[in-house]
Amino acid sequence: MSKNTYTGLSWVTLAAAFVPQTHAAELDASLAAIEPKVVTWRRDLHQHPELSNREVRTAKLVADHLRRLGLAVDTGIARTGVVGLLDTGKPGPTIALRADMDALPVVERTDVPFRSTVKSNYRGEEVGVMHACGHDSHVAVLMGVAEMLAARKATLRGRILFVFQPAEEGAPPGETGGASDMLAAGVFTRHKPEAVFGWHAWASLNTGIIGYRSGPFMAGSQAWKAVINGKQTHGSRPWQGADPIVTAAQIINGLQTVVSRQIDITRIPAVVSVGAIKGGVRNNIIPDSVEMIGTIRTFDAVQYDQVTQGMRRMVENTAEANGTTAEFSLDPYRNPVTYNNPELTARMLPTLRRVAGDENVKEIPLITGAEDFAYFAQAVPSLFVMVGVTPRGTDVTQAPANHSPLFYLDEAALPLATRALAELAVDYLE
């Protein structure tokens, strides 16, 4: 037997087989140490949620943690964004890992001891504030991944950019924010990552499941607004005025036919929803005007044009038919489609399968929810995945969805999310 073989296997082959086991053991130890911290951070963030562009406390918690790890830290990016850079000092690629920090104007109704009782102001109204979309877990997990990878700096090469982003849910009216503002501030221009990774807590999957899709994954979103102008009159004499409330009701019904009757939905889905309607102050006064706001979800540019043009016709022509006028407008800020780079997805799928098990990594359908991670994905190749957070044994079709006041995040999902993000980074760099 030659000295570089053993029972028919070369030492090179044995080493290749041994390294992943050693690597896995090291990650197991790191994960066991960090898991309690991730849970503690997540609960603290959950009790102290902050709305978009107002993530001051969250940003300080993150920045202080990254500085303790010895990372180079930039703050105040796009108002409250935080970026930490782990530079191994060895040649290699630069990658970015991203978490979003903002909460939603939702009154929490979950029965957990760390539920939020925070109140704030949104669109001129007092609202409850809740991490009803899991961004608290995104922040806590990325803090944990930063600690794990900083501890392994000597074994890594290249650079890792930890991006904590504000305003994923959309900036308040009159403001800008989110991923597009972070890019405009030069985050990727300065550091030049060649790939970006992200994940989302997802109520439509059970704990232990990772969902992915190559190519278009999540819809592009567009906020819209319609103001119907009528003529105010006494509620007992509607014929003396022009009723914008009745007009608004007809417009709402008519908008549902834009997708169902004017768009080929056998190709890709589209959604038009009305999110709020406001008009009037008394039971016996027909008001001058009514305002409606809502969202559009589409998956390509042609479809987007068809939907928005159909909506404009419906709003303006219905108003005219009722003797009123209408102003239809689209918000200047628009989320693009979240697109997973096919080559990067194929390259990293073995990592996800190793972490979760082959049977637990599933290709899932298009998601009509939107994510402004899409801006990062436009800038460099990306992979964005969903990690299930609905407890095993629970029917996900009956579980409260993301954005629900009853949204519940199974903390047993956090170790999988932490390990998946850490291993995606390690495997890409190696």
Side-chain angles (χ1 to χ4, degrees):
M1 181 185 298
S2 65
K3 65 179 181 180
N4 67 338
T5 59
Y6 180 73
T7 61
L9 292 176
S10 71
W11 286 113
V12 173
T13 304
L14 285 173
F18 177 72
V19 169
Q21 295 175 10
T22 304
H23 165 79
E26 289 174 351
L27 279 175
D28 283 341
S30 298
L31 189 61
I34 203 67
E35 183 180 345
K37 295 182 182 181
V38 171
V39 171
T40 298
W41 291 326
R42 184 257 161 172
R43 293 183 179 185
D44 174 74
L45 291 163
H46 193 86
Q47 278 192 304
H48 301 92
E50 296 170 300
L51 293 175
S52 302
N53 279 353
R54 307 292 183 269
E55 307 92 340
V56 176
R57 180 184 182 276
T58 304
K60 184 178 186 306
L61 178 74
V62 167
D64 288 348
H65 175 66
L66 298 181
R67 289 191 183 103
R68 284 193 295 269
L69 297 178
L71 274 61
V73 178
D74 290 327
T75 61
I77 304 169
R79 290 184 173 82
T80 58
V82 180
V83 172
L85 177 65
L86 174 60
D87 190 341
T88 68
K90 296 186 287 293
T94 298
I95 63 169
L97 308 177
R98 174 270 203 171
D100 39 6
M101 303 188 293
D102 53 332
L104 287 158
V106 172
V107 177
E108 181 159 11
R109 289 168 52 200
T110 62
D111 186 20
V112 295
F114 49 90
R115 67 181 174 272
S116 169
T117 58
V118 172
K119 295 186 183 301
S120 188
N121 187 278
Y122 184 75
R123 288 176 58 85
E125 297 182 12
E126 185 180 73
V127 294
V129 185
M130 176 191 175
H131 270 295
C133 203
H135 296 188
D136 50 347
S137 67
H138 302 170
V139 173
V141 162
L142 191 54
M143 289 170 67
V145 171
E147 185 164 330
M148 290 172 66
L149 297 183
R152 299 192 63 205
K153 177 179 176 180
T155 67
L156 299 173
R157 65 188 186 94
R159 306 192 311 164
I160 306 171
L161 202 62
F162 299 92
V163 179
F164 292 84
Q165 177 208 312
E168 189 282 325
E169 298 291 355
E175 298 179 17
T176 62
S180 58
D181 275 17
M182 292 197 83
L183 291 172
V187 170
F188 278 14
T189 304
R190 286 193 300 276
H191 299 288
K192 296 179 173 57
E194 63 180 54
V196 58
F197 298 97
W199 75 283
H200 205 297
W202 199 237
S204 296
L205 295 172
N206 288 116
T207 298
I209 303 297
I210 294 178
Y212 78 96
R213 187 178 183 87
S214 182
F217 186 29
M218 300 183 72
S221 71
Q222 172 71 66
W224 61 271
K225 177 180 177 181
V227 178
I228 297 90
N229 297 299
K231 180 181 178 183
Q232 186 167 313
T233 184
H234 198 287
S236 65
R237 294 185 293 277
W239 53 86
Q240 290 185 343
D243 193 336
I245 290 182
V246 169
T247 303
Q250 293 178 9
I251 288 172
I252 290 171
N253 287 333
L255 287 176
Q256 308 314 305
T257 68
V258 170
V259 170
S260 67
R261 293 296 180 270
Q262 300 178 39
I263 306 299
D264 181 2
I265 56 172
T266 64
R267 189 169 63 90
I268 43 176
V271 175
V272 173
S273 290
V274 180
I277 176 170
K278 293 184 179 181
V281 292
R282 274 185 63 90
N283 69 311
N284 61 350
I285 299 176
I286 292 173
D288 269 330
S289 66
V290 169
E291 177 187 285
M292 295 188 292
I293 57 174
T295 188
I296 303 165
R297 304 299 167 101
T298 54
F299 284 93
D300 70 26
V302 172
Q303 184 190 61
Y304 172 80
D305 289 342
Q306 291 173 335
V307 170
T308 53
Q309 290 167 14
M311 291 179 68
R312 186 179 299 277
R313 286 195 303 270
M314 185 64 65
V315 169
E316 294 177 351
N317 293 343
T318 303
E320 182 180 9
N322 280 275
T324 62
T325 61
E327 302 162 9
F328 178 78
S329 60
L330 299 169
D331 194 285
Y333 181 84
R334 176 185 172 196
N335 262 354
V337 174
T338 301
Y339 184 87
N340 279 335
N341 179 271
E343 292 77 17
L344 182 62
T345 303
R347 173 179 172 178
M348 305 315 298
L349 267 177
T351 299
L352 297 177
R353 289 171 176 149
R354 186 182 70 244
V355 169
D358 287 354
E359 71 283 2
N360 294 320
V361 178
K362 302 181 183 296
E363 185 174 11
I364 60 177
L366 290 168
I367 294 173
T368 51
E371 245 290 347
D372 82 346
F373 178 87
Y375 283 100
F376 295 131
Q378 282 188 329
V380 299
S382 77
L383 175 59
F384 192 76
V385 300
M386 299 299 184
V387 177
V389 296
T390 292
R392 288 184 180 274
T394 302
D395 182 354
V396 293
T397 66
Q398 302 301 313
N402 295 61
H403 288 211
S404 165
L406 294 171
F407 171 74
Y408 176 79
L409 186 144
D410 181 10
E411 290 177 341
L414 299 182
L416 175 61
T418 306
R419 181 157 195 165
L421 199 57
E423 295 228 34
L424 285 170
V426 171
D427 285 3
Y428 189 94
L429 294 176
E430 291 181 348

